[in-house]
Every structure is written in structure tokens, then in C-alpha cells.
Amino acid sequence: MKLDIVITGVGGQGAVLASRVIAQTAMAKGYQVRTSETIGMAQREGPVISHVRIGDDLTGALIPDRGADILLSFELAETARGLSKLKPEGTIIANTAQIFPVSVPLGISSYQTETILAALQRPQGKTILLDASRAALEAGNAKTVNVVLLGVLAGMSGLPFTAEDLLASILKQVPEKVREVNRKAFEIGQRLAEVS
Amino acid sequence: MEQKMLLMGNEAIARGAVEAGIKFAAAYPGTPSSEVFSTLAHFAPECDFYAEWSVNEKVALEVASGAAYAGARAIVSMKQVGLNVASDPLMSLAYIGVKGGLVIVVADDPGPHSSQTEQDTRKFATFAKLPVFDPATPQEAKDMVKAAFELSEQFSLPVFLRPTTRTCHACQDVTLDEIKPMQREYRFDKDPKWVIFPSLSYKKHIWLNEQQLNIAAAFNRSPFNKLSLKGKVGIVACGVAYNYVVEACETLGLDPSMLKIGTPYPLPPEPAVALLEHCERILVVEEQEPVVEDQMIKLAWQRKLPTDIQGKGLIPREGELNVDKVKAVLAKFFAVPDSTVLDSTVSSVAIPPLPLRTPVLCAGCPHRASFLAFKEVGRKQDAVFTGDIGCYTLGNMPPLDMLDTCLCMGAGITQAAGMSKVEPGRKHVAFIGDSTFFHSGISGMINAVYNNADIVIVVLDNRTTAMTGHQPHPGIDRTATGVNPKVLDIAAIARASGVELVLEVDPYDLAATKAAAQQALEFTGPAVVVARRECIAIVKPQPQYNVDRELCIDCEICLKKLGCPAMFKQDDKVIIANSCNGCSLCAQVCPQHAIRGGEVR
């Protein structure tokens, strides 16, 4: 058993929580786990990347280029930024919602949506794109984008844990007053996975 | 049953310290080290040890050494540049030594991800003549902390633990051991050995030099160094680089002779010489400086061994290593094909052009308003804006473009003062954060008063140490573990230091902040403006602002002036996203009065 997951997004979207709950869930099943996260300056609206490794005999926490089985992304452009980490046959689960960095209205750079979307369609490997930000609002909290996408992830085959295991870890991690909204977000994610 | 827990490297270090029976912990925050101490502070009350956020790293090391003089096991943690601040007590402490174990955790940041330099603390350890442990994983970091306390007490010397970002901010399933309360009497025994006179220094220097050999011999038997002799071509790998070597070897199908080093200084001679005698060629893989490599070369030369030793000629000295970089070097060194490189020519990933996404000041950050006020007032006068270390370093980013310098903690004030002496007539404005002011700004301010430097000091007081995770400081009502009954007032400190113009403003009031900026810039001699408003991350958001489409003429003044991450254009219209924290700055700069607040979320 060896599973490498890369999570990308923008600082503040909850990539750290996502990598921790995946690791917690796998650990409870008796696997070794490693994560590596972006903490510090990049958290201020910068690009963030988390690595999650699950297996029987692990060493380092960093996933090599073209090593990840799954790329889980919370923001459209950040999905493309994480592509070099993904195996050619790996799966993309990504939010289509965009966060425009200040460089775009300032005219320093551009956000080429169509080009990015085209790059995510690869010759091999499954790509699941969905508006997780809208789903999070539907669940009742814009900050649950990460949990919606974990709900989608839970529907993938080949995971060393069940959707129930993953949801239980999430509910254990989040404060009590937001447990219900997170449960709802996860379930919306599960439903979205079924139809995509 | 063995108990395991998912711990971040920094949490694992804290856990190791508690298991080792510490009585004292001190730190100043700095990425990637901060969580070592935040974790310790959390457990201090229930585990019965003292914990403080000190005002800077020099103070942290000194208070911890005081506790260690009295027989306590003490831990101090900081980032690598923090050790520069603490280097004064460090160098003398190596001569004097300690009674209780003293472990100095210094987190290095190759890359760098969040630092001014890529300095290598193993090099500092070599300079100070103090032993250093270099963990590859969170589990090893925890085990090493405990070993470091034992070693510190065995040799009466402070000991370094030097994790890097990839250990500090990595999580692992870590095995927990029992926390046993330390039965020990804490008492400082008076003795001339604690007083560092030159005559004593000479004797202690001889002792310290002898300890180098003794510690190296002790490291011969350390479980953190592992030798495996196989073929005639070998690898030495240190710290996290070992992980990359193991994974690269697996991918390349290599199983070479290997020496894993967890104690890079002083290098244990026995396994090192055994590898040198066994191999014809070796490659030393380590991040940053050739600390292990240099010692290997010295050993080979002294023993007249002909082994070919490679290292920094092939392994980069700058930036971080990873599996891919190491694999490429190993493939060449062992002359084996790198199948993954071949694969990439078949299915290389095409990354489309992506928007530039750099860290920026948060939506609603009060610093944005302070910078804008000084920009609009100071620009006409060709003022120079010196900066410092913290979130506000991001004031350098467009469109504010408000920092002309940034060097190290405290240097904003002192560099402004220096410039003012050689280009009189020009205005110099130094920006410094509240925590940085207490860390090393006060001495610069007093120096400016004493030497009558014509500068303006702007203290961006957001009531926290924001960049590193919102730690308290002497200016707010909390300590690391409880209530701070004596909140220090920055404006009062400035007045007491002899600053004759001290102004206090709320940066969310742009007109008032501009007026204060004007007054301070017109004043001759040192002036202080305290711009006080809580960091948006520690208070509830204000109601969001919205654009009135009837009034907005899409002039984009708000976008172009502020660079607020909550504002963008969609379908050619200015939009305020729900990440708005309601600072009202956009409404204050809008010439059409088209931005309004008040909608409660």
C-alpha cells in the first residue's frame, strides 16, 4: 500500500486541515503517514501546497515530481500549479472557483481561465472539476470548500479508509459549533462525486 | 500497546522536551520554529514547568541558561536568524557551560521559505564548538531532544537541535513515551566557575577543545548515525537529505554503502573512517553548507586515505534539496539511467501560464491604511521608507511599493537614522511592528534620540506578533501562559525615551493618519507615530463593504491604490468578495462615494 496525495490552494483555504485529517484517518487504520505543509509567509494569500503520504514503509514527507496519485485542489489556477507533482495517470479533483490574486487587477499578470481548463484535460488520468465554493455556500459556510472536496475524495476507489472514517476524522477535528455545516459540506461533496 | 499520535515536527520536539522532564522553556517566535514553543506553552501548566515568550532570542537564551545554571533542564527555541541575535550569550556559554541540560532548538529554513538568509546552524555549532543534532523526521526530532538533554548534562554544555522546515512542518505518526516527573532540587550554587574572567576563559577554552574529542567519541555510538557497508561507492547523508537519498536510491534501484549522519558536529570518526576505508568513492549529500563533507575530507587527509570525496561540487549549496534533485545527482554519480527522466520526455506536463500569486497584506489589514497615508503625504517630499521584519514587509508589494529597505529585526529605525546623517534635508521614515519594537526597536529609538536623528518612526501596532501565528508580547495583556497585568504602552515608552513628538492614530481613519503623517514629517528630530489597530485575524470581521453599481464609474482607483485581495474585476466591474473584513479603506479612497458598508453578514 502506498498512496501519495498533493493538496494545493491559496493560503487560508484550509489545506493544512485537509492534509491532517487524511493523515489521521489513514493512521487510525494502522498505516504510516507523513505530511508536509506550507506554514508562514505564504499563508497571506499565497499559493500553498500540502503533501500527504500513506504507506507501510515511509521515509521523507515530500512527494517527488510526477509522484502523486491524486491532486486535490481548492482553486483553479492552483490546480495547474500542482500538475507537475501528479503522475500522468493520476486523478485530479479540483475546484473550478477562482481566487484572483491582486496582480491581476493591477495588470501585472493575467488569469487565463480557458488555457488552464484545457491543461487539466490530459490524455490519461481522471479529472473531476466542480464548483466546490458554490457547494460550500450551499452547505452554509464559504469556508467549507476543503471539506466539500474531501467529500469528493472519499468517493475515489483505492483509498485505505471509508468515507465514514474520513468524515469521522473531520468532525473530530473541527469545533463543535461548525460540525453540522461540515457534515453537510462533506455529504454535498459525496453527492457531487457520484454525478461527476 | 504502543501509543502513537500524529505530530508536526515542532510538536514532536515539544513532546520530547516534556518527556525529558524540562523545568523551563523560553522562545521568540520565528518561522519555521514557532510551534515548538506554542506547544510547550500549552502544556506548561499541567506538566509543571515554566514557559515564557521572551522579548528576543538573546533574552530567551539568557533566561534559559539562568535556569540551567540552577540545575533545571531548559529548552530555548528560535529560527536560524534568531541565533544571530542570541550569539553573544551563546559564544560565552560554550566556555562557561551549564549544570542542568540546555537544549537550543534552532530551526533552519533552506529555500528560504520565510527568512532573510539560508544560514546553516550546523556551521554556527562548529564555530561555537557545541554539538548539534540534525533530525530527518519528526520521530527522530523527538528522540534527539531527549538524547540532547542527556548529552548536555554528560558534558555540561549547551546542545543544538537543528531541524529544518521539512522536519518542523512535516507531520508523522510519532510514538509517545511516558512523561515522568523529574525529581530534582533546583538551586544555584555559588562558585567562581560561573564568572567569565579572561583567566578563566583561557582554561575553559582548553576544556572546551578537549570536549570536542570526547563528544565525537560519544557520537561514535549514537543510534542516530547508521553505517551500512556494501559496494565500493558510498553515500553519506545528513538530516532530511537522508530521506531524499533513500527514496532516490529506491527509484534508481541502488543499494550502496551508506552512512546516515544525525550528529553532524562533531562528526563521529569511527563510522566515517570505516566508510572511507571501505569505499573508493563517496558522495556527501547534505543541505546548505559542506559541514559533514569538510570533516570527511579532513579525516581522510589525516588518515592518508585515498578515497575520492564528492559533495558540494554536485549537490547544490543554495536552496532546498528534494528527491528529484538528489536522484539526478545520484544517477550521474553511480552512472545509472534515471528512468523517470526518460519517462518525462514521453509525457512531460505542460503547465499553462499562471497568474502571479505572491503573499500580500490581508484584506482589511490595518498596515495597508498606514502605508497609504505615509505614501500620499511622504511621496511629495521624496521620503525614504525603511522597513523591518514582519507581515508589514509585504508593504513592499505593488501597488503600495512602500518599503525601500528590509534587513533584519530592528534595522528599519537604525538604518533610517544612519541615512539621515548623510543626506540631511531628506525625510526618513522607519516602519516597525509592535512585537519587533519590543524585540530590538527600543534600543534603536533611544539611539535616535541620543544622537538626534531626524527620523519618523511608525510603529505599526496590530496588537500581536502576526506573521508567526499571533503570539503575545509585552504590549498586550497576555503572557505565554496567562494574564499580563503590566501592559507596556509603546507611546509612553517613546515619551519616556525623550521623543518629543509622539502621536497615536487609528489607521482605519485615513484622514487622521495622513494628518499625523504630515505633522510627523514636518517635525525636526525623532518623532514617533503609533498606528494602532488590531490585526484582522484576532478580531471579529466588521460588516462587509459593497460597490454601489449606480455610482461606480469603474475608475479602478480602489483597485490600483490598495491592492486589497478582496477586490477584483469581473465582467469589467469592480467586485468586493466576501473575504472583505470591512476596514472601510476602499470607501475612504473612492472619489465617487460608491463604496458603502454596513451590510451585516
Side-chain angles (χ1 to χ4, degrees), chain A residues 148-165:
Chain A
V148 170
L149 287 160
L150 286 173
V152 181
L153 172 76
M156 296 296 104
S157 57
L159 298 180
F161 43 74
T162 66
E164 290 70 36
D165 297 330

Side-chain angles (χ1 to χ4, degrees), chain B residues 232-408:
Chain B
K232 295 288 176 195
V233 185
I235 299 175
V236 185
C238 184
V240 289
Y242 174 73
N243 301 330
Y244 308 141
V245 167
V246 169
E247 194 161 344
C249 284
E250 273 171 22
T251 321
L252 295 170
L254 294 170
D255 186 18
S257 291
M258 181 100 73
L259 175 59
K260 174 203 176 287
I261 290 292
T263 64
Y265 184 81
L267 191 73
E270 280 178 18
V273 169
L275 184 80
L276 286 167
E277 285 175 340
H278 179 80
C279 292
E280 287 161 8
R281 298 163 59 220
I282 63 162
L283 174 67
V284 184
V285 186
E286 57 193 320
E287 269 179 340
Q288 303 181 303
E289 298 300 306
V291 173
V292 172
E293 183 187 342
D294 287 355
Q295 293 177 89
M296 294 294 292
I297 292 170
K298 187 174 167 189
L299 278 172
W301 182 261
Q302 284 171 335
R303 316 263 164 143
K304 300 190 170 52
L305 296 168
T307 324
D308 180 58
I309 301 169
Q310 297 291 325
K312 285 299 153 187
L314 301 170
I315 301 287
R317 196 166 179 160
E318 308 82 13
E320 264 192 320
L321 295 181
N322 56 40
V323 179
D324 301 294
K325 286 184 191 173
V326 170
K327 194 171 64 183
V329 176
L330 292 192
K332 268 191 208 153
F333 191 75
F334 287 87
V336 293
D338 182 351
S339 59
T340 52
V341 170
L342 288 175
D343 276 355
S344 75
T345 58
V346 185
S347 57
S348 61
V349 216
I351 308 285
L354 294 173
L356 178 72
R357 198 189 296 278
T358 53
V360 292
L361 294 172
C362 299
C365 175
H367 301 337
R368 180 177 289 105
S370 299
F371 282 131
L372 185 67
F374 273 89
K375 183 176 183 173
E376 298 203 333
V377 175
R379 189 165 40 193
K380 292 168 229 152
Q381 313 184 15
D382 186 31
V384 175
F385 301 104
T386 59
D388 223 295
I389 308 288
C391 281
Y392 49 97
T393 313
L394 298 172
N396 170 254
M397 295 291 169
L400 291 169
D401 294 315
M402 268 300 280
L403 287 191
D404 300 317
T405 68
C406 178
L407 187 73
C408 64

Side-chain angles (χ1 to χ4, degrees), chain A residues 2 4 10 20 23-24 27 31-37 39-47 51 53 59-66 75 77-78 80-81 83-86 88 98-112 115-116 119 124 137 142, chain B residues 4-6 8 11 31 35 113-114 137 166 169-173 243-244 246-247 321-324 340-341 344 347 349-363 390-391 393-394 398-399 466-468 470 556 559-560 563-565 567-570 578:
Chain A
K2 194 167 185 300
D4 284 349
V10 177
R20 299 278 171 90
Q24 293 273 12
M27 202 182 132
Y31 292 100
Q32 287 190 11
V33 291
R34 301 284 188 278
T35 76
S36 180
E37 287 133 2
I39 296 171
M41 195 183 247
Q43 282 180 300
R44 310 277 177 264
E45 306 280 339
H51 303 234
R53 314 192 83 176
T59 48
L62 290 185
I63 297 169
D65 286 349
R66 293 184 298 280
E75 201 277 342
E78 296 314 310
R81 224 186 286 276
L83 269 182
S84 61
K85 285 281 157 206
L86 189 66
Q98 296 164 289
I99 297 175
F100 291 94
V102 295
S103 66
V104 174
L106 290 175
I108 299 167
S109 73
S110 60
Y111 200 124
Q112 300 177 27
T115 324
I116 292 170
Q124 316 161 252
L137 282 175
Chain B
K4 282 198 165 193
M5 204 173 164
L6 184 73
M8 200 204 303
E11 295 168 337
T31 310
E35 301 83 6
H113 297 273
S114 314
T137 60
R166 298 305 179 180
H169 291 165
C171 292
Q172 181 182 4
D173 43 316
N243 301 330
Y244 308 141
V246 169
E247 194 161 344
L321 295 181
N322 56 40
V323 179
D324 301 294
T340 52
V341 170
S344 75
S347 57
V349 216
I351 308 285
L354 294 173
L356 178 72
R357 198 189 296 278
T358 53
V360 292
L361 294 172
C362 299
C391 281
T393 313
L394 298 172
M467 180 61 95
T468 48
H470 304 99
E556 299 189 8
L559 290 176
K560 304 281 187 215
C564 173
M567 306 187 86
F568 58 96
K569 267 194 121 172
Q570 205 160 34
N578 61 11

